[in-house]
Amino acid sequence: MKLLKGLFLGSAASLACASFALAADLPVHKAAPAEYVRICDAYGQGFFYIPGTETCLRISGMVRAEYAWSNTRKVNTSAFSQNPRTGVVTAGSVSDARGVDSIGIRARGRVNFDARTQTAWGTLRSYFRFESWSDSGYMNSFFGGASENFKNRPTYAFVQFAGITAGRAQSFFDFFGDAWQWGSIRNSDNQVPMLAYTATFGGGFSATLAIEDPSTVGAFYASNNMPGSYALAPGYGLRSTAVRTPDVVAALRVDQGWGSAQLSGVWGRHQTSVVTVNSAGATTGVPVGAPNKDFNIWAVQGGVQINLPMLAAGDQLWLEAAYAKGQIERLGGAYYQGNNENGFRSGFIGNWANAGVFTNGAGYGVNTGKGWNVLAAFQHYWSPSLRSTFMGSYVSWENGDAVKAMGFLKGNEWRVSSQLIWSPVKDTDIGVEMLYAKAHNSLSAPMAAAVKAAGLKKDPDAIEARLRIQRGF
């Protein structure tokens, strides 16, 4: 019995040793280490390292719902024009307030991608913002809404490296840039394709030199062919000759604990030419010997932003002023060719900034109007979750000879607005905004008579109210 037990135990031991030996010959597969997302605190909150890289990424965005109302009245559905040779005014057809939207409902979504990598040359940054919104017929009124239906577009897409900014970004001419308002307080706010270099100095001082695409801002490039009803000789039109030279922007800026200040300027040389057009406005050729015309545009702007923590944490005051010639869109007069502007389509800066008129035979002039504006904006926190803003702007402009020949001489406009915003949780805003605007237009006698006969207001005003619910992340 003892002999059998010994044989059994010996056999078991032999089998175990053999199994271990065989196991030792098998390949060993080691589990790959798990990749955990690491927090990147080098550039502020929300950044994390992209696994397997040394690039920090922040993904953020916003969802917004907005509801607006305006007291839209009679509107002019097609432009008035005055023949500069005869003085005769051709009035467009007129519809009542039912012809445009006095309410608007808008939904908008936004996603931002901000990627940064530290290099021997400093921070390498790439930034991309994509927006999508739906606003069918949204507020085609005095305040410059537009019928956009549903759109998707990148509003920012740029790379920054060693002081260089390349891509689509905020114009370096801009300062306040619609920082707070929901409606339209007049100021320059343009996202443009560009190539820029920023030199940074000690104490928060910096200087930027940039070339920017003028077609995004407006200037003459907003329009193509304009038929004879625009006071050109019958059968002729005026068009841009593509973007041949960029706008040059220079800016000096300081950012310190008390706030910021900036002085900026822009200069450009734009080109136009004459074409023949049919009654529908389509180009049919180029007149023999038709001249080209180049014209200069320029603008200067200064602004200061002051932090006011002695009143409440987060309180700020913005002050800004600008002067422009030729490109008065830099004053905030966006080019709304299809916008009837609450009763007088042609009464606001920008609407006729691009017009041309024949002055003698095949010669023509281009509007190089001039103007100036001022802006003030104040934000106060009543509590950490409740704040108000108070904003106002004034703009005055004088049209160039080409547009004066059409009967539109000069004008001014002022706007005031206020907001009350409640933030019940972080990055969530529920608020209302009230906006009032009043314009004054100086017209030639025939043009003023035609406007009055059409039942339109030469000096329109309007009120607008908005409710906005917004969540950021």
Side-chain angles (χ1 to χ4, degrees), residues 35 45 53 60 76 83 97 119 146 148 166 169 211 280 291 295 330 338 357 381 386 452 467:
E35 280 276 3
Q45 293 183 344
T53 74
S60 60
N76 166 28
N83 190 307
T119 74
E148 293 174 326
I211 55 173
F295 61 100
R330 294 286 184 175
V357 57
Y381 279 81
L386 186 67
K452 183 177 180 179
L467 166 66

Side-chain angles (χ1 to χ4, degrees), residues 38 48-57 115:
R38 295 179 294 151
F48 61 91
Y49 285 100
I50 299 175
T53 74
E54 292 302 314
T55 297
C56 297
L57 177 66

Side-chain angles (χ1 to χ4, degrees), residues 21-22 27 31 36 54 140 160 183 202 215 246 265 288 364 389 433 443 463:
L22 290 172
Y36 296 99
E54 292 302 314
N140 187 11
Q160 289 180 319
S215 63
V288 176
Y364 63 93
T389 62
E433 178 182 75
L443 309 174
I463 300 172

Side-chain angles (χ1 to χ4, degrees), residues 15-29:
L15 290 172
C17 291
S19 298
F20 288 142
L22 290 172
D25 294 334
L26 294 175
V28 178
H29 295 285

Side-chain angles (χ1 to χ4, degrees), residues 10 47 59 197 218 220 262 328 366-367 387:
F47 283 89
I59 302 174
Y197 177 75
F220 186 78
Q262 179 175 288
I328 51 180
V366 177
N367 187 30
R387 68 185 186 273

Side-chain angles (χ1 to χ4, degrees), residues 65-275:
E66 186 174 277
Y67 310 87
W69 168 87
S70 178
N71 62 332
T72 306
R73 290 180 286 276
K74 278 189 176 181
V75 298
N76 166 28
T77 56
S78 63
F80 288 88
S81 61
Q82 178 178 342
N83 190 307
R85 292 167 294 279
T86 65
V88 175
V89 175
T90 302
S93 60
V94 175
S95 67
D96 62 15
R98 295 180 183 271
V100 297
D101 296 318
S102 58
I103 66 167
I105 299 176
R106 168 182 286 179
R108 172 170 290 197
R110 172 188 298 166
V111 179
N112 309 309
F113 299 90
D114 190 349
R116 308 188 192 188
T117 305
Q118 194 60 36
T119 74
W121 293 82
T123 301
L124 170 60
R125 183 190 186 196
S126 57
Y127 185 89
F128 178 76
R129 171 181 290 179
F130 183 82
E131 292 190 299
S132 177
W133 66 91
S134 175
D135 50 7
S136 179
Y138 186 80
M139 294 301 291
N140 187 11
S141 69
F142 184 98
F143 294 94
S147 298
E148 293 174 326
N149 296 317
F150 188 84
K151 283 193 174 181
N152 302 280
R153 69 173 186 181
T155 50
Y156 293 99
F158 61 84
V159 174
Q160 289 180 319
F161 180 61
I164 295 173
T165 300
R168 184 184 178 93
Q170 191 74 28
S171 171
F172 280 95
F173 179 85
D174 298 347
F175 185 61
F176 181 71
D178 290 345
W180 293 333
Q181 77 265 17
W182 303 342
S184 296
I185 293 294
R186 296 292 194 184
N187 74 119
S188 182
D189 178 27
N190 297 288
Q191 297 83 45
V192 297
M194 66 169 66
L195 177 63
Y197 177 75
T198 300
T200 56
F201 312 104
F205 288 87
S206 63
T208 299
L209 184 64
I211 55 173
E212 299 183 353
D213 184 353
S215 63
T216 309
V217 178
F220 186 78
Y221 302 113
S223 64
N224 288 314
N225 304 327
M226 297 190 295
S229 61
Y230 284 80
L232 291 170
Y236 292 90
L238 193 64
R239 70 175 182 182
S240 66
T241 54
V243 180
R244 296 182 179 273
T245 58
D247 286 350
V248 179
V249 174
L252 296 173
R253 185 180 177 98
V254 59
D255 296 279
Q256 296 178 344
W258 58 267
S260 303
Q262 179 175 288
L263 178 64
S264 58
V266 59
W267 178 89
R269 188 162 181 82
H270 299 174
Q271 301 83 25
T272 63
S273 64
V274 175
V275 294

